[in-house]
mmCIF file of all heavy atoms in Angstrom:
data_model
loop_
_atom_site.group_PDB
_atom_site.id
_atom_site.type_symbol
_atom_site.label_atom_id
_atom_site.label_comp_id
_atom_site.label_asym_id
_atom_site.label_seq_id
_atom_site.Cartn_x
_atom_site.Cartn_y
_atom_site.Cartn_z
ATOM 1 N N ASP A 50 119.998 71.174 41.158
ATOM 2 C CA ASP A 50 119.325 69.924 41.511
ATOM 3 C C ASP A 50 117.839 70.185 41.758
ATOM 4 O O ASP A 50 117.475 70.987 42.623
ATOM 5 C CB ASP A 50 119.955 69.325 42.767
ATOM 6 C CG ASP A 50 119.267 68.034 43.191
ATOM 7 O OD1 ASP A 50 119.527 66.988 42.566
ATOM 8 O OD2 ASP A 50 118.453 68.087 44.133
ATOM 9 N N VAL A 54 109.350 63.871 42.494
ATOM 10 C CA VAL A 54 108.803 62.769 43.288
ATOM 11 C C VAL A 54 107.422 62.387 42.782
ATOM 12 O O VAL A 54 106.569 63.258 42.571
ATOM 13 C CB VAL A 54 108.709 63.156 44.785
ATOM 14 C CG1 VAL A 54 108.125 62.009 45.606
ATOM 15 C CG2 VAL A 54 110.070 63.567 45.322
ATOM 16 N N LYS A 68 108.696 56.808 43.073
ATOM 17 C CA LYS A 68 109.605 57.165 41.983
ATOM 18 C C LYS A 68 110.255 58.495 42.335
ATOM 19 O O LYS A 68 109.566 59.509 42.534
ATOM 20 C CB LYS A 68 108.829 57.280 40.671
ATOM 21 C CG LYS A 68 109.703 57.529 39.442
ATOM 22 C CD LYS A 68 110.474 56.295 39.052
ATOM 23 C CE LYS A 68 111.190 56.472 37.721
ATOM 24 N NZ LYS A 68 112.059 55.317 37.401
ATOM 25 N N ILE A 74 119.414 68.772 32.406
ATOM 26 C CA ILE A 74 119.588 69.711 31.308
ATOM 27 C C ILE A 74 120.853 69.339 30.550
ATOM 28 O O ILE A 74 121.799 68.794 31.119
ATOM 29 C CB ILE A 74 119.678 71.166 31.825
ATOM 30 C CG1 ILE A 74 119.622 72.171 30.675
ATOM 31 C CG2 ILE A 74 120.922 71.366 32.662
ATOM 32 C CD1 ILE A 74 119.494 73.620 31.152
ATOM 33 N N ALA A 83 117.498 61.522 26.905
ATOM 34 C CA ALA A 83 116.490 60.710 27.588
ATOM 35 C C ALA A 83 116.844 59.235 27.583
ATOM 36 O O ALA A 83 116.402 58.473 28.456
ATOM 37 C CB ALA A 83 115.123 60.917 26.921
ATOM 38 N N THR A 92 122.243 58.292 42.131
ATOM 39 C CA THR A 92 123.055 57.113 42.382
ATOM 40 C C THR A 92 122.703 56.488 43.730
ATOM 41 O O THR A 92 121.956 57.066 44.525
ATOM 42 C CB THR A 92 124.552 57.469 42.354
ATOM 43 O OG1 THR A 92 124.819 58.457 43.365
ATOM 44 C CG2 THR A 92 124.948 58.014 40.994
ATOM 45 N N SER A 170 82.318 53.375 50.042
ATOM 46 C CA SER A 170 81.312 52.311 49.991
ATOM 47 C C SER A 170 80.304 52.624 48.894
ATOM 48 O O SER A 170 80.219 53.758 48.417
ATOM 49 C CB SER A 170 80.600 52.164 51.340
ATOM 50 O OG SER A 170 79.902 53.362 51.675
ATOM 51 N N THR A 196 71.387 54.199 38.826
ATOM 52 C CA THR A 196 72.343 55.135 39.397
ATOM 53 C C THR A 196 73.203 54.419 40.430
ATOM 54 O O THR A 196 72.682 53.869 41.401
ATOM 55 C CB THR A 196 71.644 56.338 40.059
ATOM 56 O OG1 THR A 196 70.906 57.065 39.069
ATOM 57 C CG2 THR A 196 72.675 57.275 40.673
ATOM 58 N N VAL A 231 83.929 45.351 31.087
ATOM 59 C CA VAL A 231 83.974 46.523 31.956
ATOM 60 C C VAL A 231 83.347 47.724 31.257
ATOM 61 O O VAL A 231 83.612 47.991 30.086
ATOM 62 C CB VAL A 231 85.427 46.847 32.350
ATOM 63 C CG1 VAL A 231 85.485 48.100 33.218
ATOM 64 C CG2 VAL A 231 86.053 45.663 33.080
ATOM 65 N N SER A 255 73.416 51.435 27.238
ATOM 66 C CA SER A 255 74.877 51.474 27.216
ATOM 67 C C SER A 255 75.446 50.197 27.813
ATOM 68 O O SER A 255 76.449 49.658 27.316
ATOM 69 C CB SER A 255 75.383 52.687 27.993
ATOM 70 O OG SER A 255 74.956 53.893 27.392
ATOM 71 N N ALA A 271 86.380 28.650 19.805
ATOM 72 C CA ALA A 271 86.597 27.211 19.631
ATOM 73 C C ALA A 271 85.956 26.417 20.758
ATOM 74 O O ALA A 271 86.032 26.798 21.932
ATOM 75 C CB ALA A 271 88.099 26.924 19.576
ATOM 76 N N GLU A 284 83.620 48.394 40.654
ATOM 77 C CA GLU A 284 84.980 48.726 41.073
ATOM 78 C C GLU A 284 85.089 50.233 41.235
ATOM 79 O O GLU A 284 84.747 50.987 40.319
ATOM 80 C CB GLU A 284 85.995 48.228 40.048
ATOM 81 C CG GLU A 284 87.436 48.473 40.457
ATOM 82 C CD GLU A 284 88.425 47.941 39.436
ATOM 83 O OE1 GLU A 284 87.988 47.336 38.442
ATOM 84 O OE2 GLU A 284 89.639 48.147 39.639
ATOM 85 N N THR A 290 93.101 63.730 48.071
ATOM 86 C CA THR A 290 92.797 65.127 47.730
ATOM 87 C C THR A 290 93.960 65.786 46.991
ATOM 88 O O THR A 290 93.760 66.548 46.046
ATOM 89 C CB THR A 290 92.462 65.920 48.993
ATOM 90 O OG1 THR A 290 93.505 65.732 49.974
ATOM 91 C CG2 THR A 290 91.138 65.448 49.598
ATOM 92 N N ILE A 321 104.271 64.824 43.054
ATOM 93 C CA ILE A 321 103.086 64.593 43.870
ATOM 94 C C ILE A 321 103.332 63.428 44.822
ATOM 95 O O ILE A 321 103.920 62.409 44.441
ATOM 96 C CB ILE A 321 101.840 64.314 42.981
ATOM 97 C CG1 ILE A 321 100.579 64.170 43.850
ATOM 98 C CG2 ILE A 321 102.045 63.095 42.110
ATOM 99 C CD1 ILE A 321 100.135 65.443 44.502
ATOM 100 N N ARG A 325 95.926 56.627 47.228
ATOM 101 C CA ARG A 325 94.856 56.134 46.380
ATOM 102 C C ARG A 325 94.425 54.773 46.908
ATOM 103 O O ARG A 325 95.130 54.144 47.699
ATOM 104 C CB ARG A 325 95.305 56.003 44.926
ATOM 105 C CG ARG A 325 96.383 54.943 44.721
ATOM 106 C CD ARG A 325 96.773 54.796 43.281
ATOM 107 N NE ARG A 325 97.862 53.829 43.115
ATOM 108 C CZ ARG A 325 98.469 53.589 41.966
ATOM 109 N NH1 ARG A 325 98.099 54.247 40.884
ATOM 110 N NH2 ARG A 325 99.441 52.696 41.904
ATOM 111 N N SER A 332 77.601 42.040 45.040
ATOM 112 C CA SER A 332 76.288 41.823 45.636
ATOM 113 C C SER A 332 76.218 40.470 46.340
ATOM 114 O O SER A 332 76.933 39.530 45.995
ATOM 115 C CB SER A 332 75.215 41.899 44.540
ATOM 116 O OG SER A 332 73.951 41.515 45.046
ATOM 117 N N LEU A 341 74.184 36.273 41.539
ATOM 118 C CA LEU A 341 73.558 36.874 40.365
ATOM 119 C C LEU A 341 72.603 37.976 40.797
ATOM 120 O O LEU A 341 71.677 37.749 41.576
ATOM 121 C CB LEU A 341 72.807 35.797 39.575
ATOM 122 C CG LEU A 341 72.151 36.221 38.271
ATOM 123 C CD1 LEU A 341 73.158 36.873 37.344
ATOM 124 C CD2 LEU A 341 71.518 35.021 37.589
ATOM 125 N N THR A 367 63.134 28.556 30.310
ATOM 126 C CA THR A 367 63.469 28.459 28.884
ATOM 127 C C THR A 367 64.944 28.762 28.630
ATOM 128 O O THR A 367 65.560 28.226 27.714
ATOM 129 C CB THR A 367 62.596 29.429 28.076
ATOM 130 O OG1 THR A 367 61.237 29.172 28.356
ATOM 131 C CG2 THR A 367 62.852 29.283 26.582
#
Side-chain angles (χ1 to χ4, degrees):
D50 179 77
V54 179
K68 185 73 172 174
I74 190 171
T92 60
S170 62
T196 298
V231 178
S255 297
E284 183 179 357
T290 52
I321 184 69
R325 66 178 177 186
S332 172
L341 183 55
T367 305

